[in-house]
């Protein structure tokens, strides 16, 4: 699996999403627990301070002496505490110290006690450290478990994607994922059903084309013979002869396509110099390629004929390395043809169809293990390149 594929895999996304949800949940829980612990610790500290000051007031009332860390300094303590009604026990926490004050009955002084809040800070720091450690461990375990759970899903989806790609390239593979009733298994079964349906439709189409071509061959031969008997100088005779010849080429092309797609046309591969295979080519390449001369000749002839028909000018045949390129100065290939490749009789809206010529070239190239690449030149015009395999 490629690096880009790995970083965008469902397995990783599941792990990251699970870890993110866990982190948000733990952060929310930590905020609630930390606040509650702080409130409980402050309340405990307040009660302890009040108890100590109550004891100090009792001692002062009995002996007149200040004990237990209390003070009678009237300026001691924060302003909110000094300004409060101290006839009852009053407390105030300024974030670092718990202050408690109480005025002795009668005209007695105000006793003030300050208790440091450091125990609260230590308790909260300890809690945060423990929570952070537990959170990191929980996040790691959660992400690992989520990744393990997503591994099976990701592997099944990658297998389905790879099989679908092979089917699109003409393969006969099937996914056959019958291990569950989840969405992935349903998708796999749907892809298998679609592939079976497409295969059946393609087979029926190929059989129909072959049957039509074979059925037309006999009357086509009789029609050609009859056309040859017409007066040669008659305009109508020439028109009939041209259309009969065109129809004959179409029937021959259909027969050729049916043989190529059914595998009935054997391939005889051998090493050849590319300039000997395509003597009309320019460029001076003498590379040794693995090819079938009959198929190469057929491909180049079709490409040249297609360029003449659509460009209206004489194309150029260029040899470069192990490739043969036919260039023209016409309008170039359509965007649909460049994207999807040659397709039999496919026709875009308001565009001429690609017919069978390019389709035959594509099938002939595939039969040799070669590749036909269609492109448009930077300055316009079409470029059809036959990429042959180098000889071992």
């Amino acid at each position: 699996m490629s690096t880009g594929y790995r970083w965008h895999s469902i397995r990783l996304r599941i792990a990251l999403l699970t870890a993110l949800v866990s982190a948000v949940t733990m952060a929310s829980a930590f905020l609630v627990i930390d606040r509650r612990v702080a409130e409980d610790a402050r309340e405990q500290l307040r009660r302890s301070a009040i108890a100590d000051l109550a004891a100090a007031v009792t001692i002062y009332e009995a002996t007149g002496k200040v004990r237990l860390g209390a003070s009678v300094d009237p300026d001691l303590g924060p302003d909110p505490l000094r300004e409060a009604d101290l006839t009852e026990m009053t407390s105030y926490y300024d974030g670092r110290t718990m202050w408690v004050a109480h005025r002795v009955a009668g005209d007695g002084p105000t006793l003030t006690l300050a208790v440091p809040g450091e125990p609260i800070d230590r308790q909260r720091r300890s809690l945060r450290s423990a929570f952070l450690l537990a959170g990191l461990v929980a996040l790691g375990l959660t992400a690992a478990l989520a990744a393990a759970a997503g591994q099976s899903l990701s592997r099944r989806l990658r297998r389905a994607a790879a099989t679908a790609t092979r089917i699109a390239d003409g393969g006969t593979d099937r996914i056959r994922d019958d291990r569950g009733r989840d969405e992935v298994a349903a998708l796999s079964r749907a892809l298998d059903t679609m592939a079976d349906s497409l295969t059946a439709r393609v087979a029926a189409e190929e059989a129909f084309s072959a049957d039509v071509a074979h059925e037309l061959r006999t009357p086509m031969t009789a029609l050609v013979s009859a056309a040859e008997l017409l007066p040669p100088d008659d305009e109508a005779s020439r028109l009939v002869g041209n259309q009969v010849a065109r129809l004959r080429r179409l029937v021959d092309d259909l027969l050729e396509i049916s043989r190529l797609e059914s595998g009935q046309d054997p391939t005889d591969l051998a090493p050849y110099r590319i300039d000997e295979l395509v003597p009309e080519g320019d460029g001076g390449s003498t590379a040794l390629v693995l090819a079938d001369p009959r198929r190469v000749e057929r491909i180049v002839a079709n490409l040249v004929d297609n360029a003449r028909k659509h460009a209206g000018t004489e194309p150029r045949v260029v040899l470069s390395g192990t490739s043969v390129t036919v260039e023209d100065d016409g309008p170039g290939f359509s965007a649909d043809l460049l994207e999807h490749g040659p397709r039999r009789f496919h026709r875009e809206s308001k565009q001429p169809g690609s017919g069978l010529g390019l389709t035959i070239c594509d099938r002939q190239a595939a039969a040799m293990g070669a590749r036909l690449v269609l492109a448009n030149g930077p300055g316009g015009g079409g470029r059809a390149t036959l990429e042959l395999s180098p000889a071992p």
Side-chain angles (χ1 to χ4, degrees):
M1 185 171 59
S2 65
T3 303
Y5 201 169
R6 184 183 303 113
W7 285 109
H8 292 84
S9 68
I10 290 181
R11 174 191 179 189
L12 179 61
R13 294 185 181 187
I14 290 175
L16 291 177
L17 180 60
T18 304
L20 178 61
V21 172
S22 300
V24 171
T25 302
M26 285 187 291
S28 302
F30 168 75
L31 292 176
V32 173
I33 293 174
D34 181 64
R35 181 175 179 179
R36 184 59 182 270
V37 167
E39 290 175 353
D40 290 346
R42 285 197 298 270
E43 180 62 21
Q44 182 178 357
L45 185 65
R46 188 182 72 84
R47 290 177 180 176
S48 176
I50 289 176
D52 290 345
L53 184 59
V57 169
T58 300
I59 294 174
Y60 182 83
E61 290 176 342
T63 64
K65 296 181 180 180
V66 180
R67 294 288 187 269
L68 302 178
S71 173
V72 293
D73 185 354
D75 297 326
L76 188 64
D79 293 341
L81 183 68
R82 294 198 306 269
E83 295 170 358
D85 182 9
L86 302 178
T87 55
E88 295 182 357
M89 196 72 67
T90 305
S91 64
Y92 179 80
Y93 185 65
D94 62 6
R96 293 182 299 176
T97 304
M98 178 65 71
W99 298 90
V100 186
H102 181 64
R103 184 179 296 112
V104 179
D107 295 332
T110 298
L111 271 66
T112 304
L113 178 66
V115 180
E118 186 178 352
I120 297 179
D121 295 335
R122 284 199 305 269
Q123 185 178 8
R124 294 184 70 183
R125 285 196 297 270
S126 176
L127 174 65
R128 289 171 179 174
S129 298
F131 208 96
L132 177 61
L133 178 60
L136 291 176
V137 173
L139 279 179
L141 290 176
T142 302
L145 291 174
Q151 173 65 19
S152 175
L153 175 64
S154 180
R155 182 170 54 249
R156 291 165 65 196
L157 287 174
R158 289 198 305 270
R159 177 168 169 254
T163 304
T165 300
R166 289 194 294 271
I167 292 173
D169 292 336
T172 58
D173 297 12
R174 295 294 183 269
I175 303 171
R176 307 300 183 200
D177 187 355
D178 299 324
R179 293 185 297 170
R181 298 182 178 179
D182 57 9
E183 290 84 351
V184 178
L187 174 63
S188 299
R189 289 191 292 270
L191 285 175
D192 286 344
T193 302
M194 181 186 68
D196 292 337
S197 176
L198 288 176
T199 300
R201 290 179 61 183
V202 170
E205 181 183 346
E206 292 174 354
F208 175 76
S209 299
D211 291 343
V212 168
H214 282 289
E215 291 296 330
L216 287 176
R217 192 169 191 178
T218 299
M220 189 70 249
T221 303
L223 188 58
V224 170
S225 301
E228 291 174 350
L229 296 176
L230 295 174
D233 299 330
D234 186 68
E235 183 66 26
S237 298
R238 285 195 296 272
L239 178 61
V240 170
N242 290 337
Q243 295 304 316
V244 168
R246 181 181 177 187
L247 185 58
R248 181 177 184 176
R249 287 194 300 271
L250 177 59
V251 172
D252 290 341
D253 287 347
L254 282 172
L255 285 171
E256 184 175 356
I257 283 287
S258 66
R259 288 195 302 269
L260 288 169
E261 292 180 340
S262 62
Q264 297 176 0
D265 191 9
T267 302
D268 185 15
L269 294 178
Y272 294 91
R273 276 179 41 171
I274 193 170
D275 58 331
E276 295 175 350
L277 285 172
V278 190
E280 68 272 27
D282 298 327
S285 176
T286 59
L288 202 62
V289 296
L290 195 63
D292 183 335
R294 176 178 59 87
R295 295 187 186 277
V296 172
E297 181 181 3
R298 176 69 166 140
I299 293 171
V300 174
N302 268 20
L303 292 178
V304 169
D305 182 66
N306 184 77
R308 286 173 180 164
K309 184 186 304 180
H310 292 92
T313 58
E314 190 65 23
R316 298 174 296 280
V317 181
V318 180
L319 305 181
S320 176
T322 60
S323 299
V324 183
T325 301
V326 177
E327 304 175 345
D328 63 64
D329 298 321
F333 298 111
S334 67
D336 181 78
L337 185 58
L338 294 177
E339 180 180 358
H340 300 288
R343 290 176 286 175
R344 291 185 292 173
F345 302 115
H346 176 71
R347 186 181 300 274
E348 289 184 86
S349 176
K350 300 181 180 180
Q351 295 272 355
S354 59
L356 292 176
L358 290 178
T359 305
I360 290 175
C361 293
D362 186 64
R363 302 296 191 274
Q364 290 281 14
M368 294 189 296
R371 191 164 71 111
L372 179 66
V373 180
L374 303 180
N376 290 328
R383 298 170 60 91
T385 302
L386 174 64
E387 297 179 350
L388 296 166
S389 301

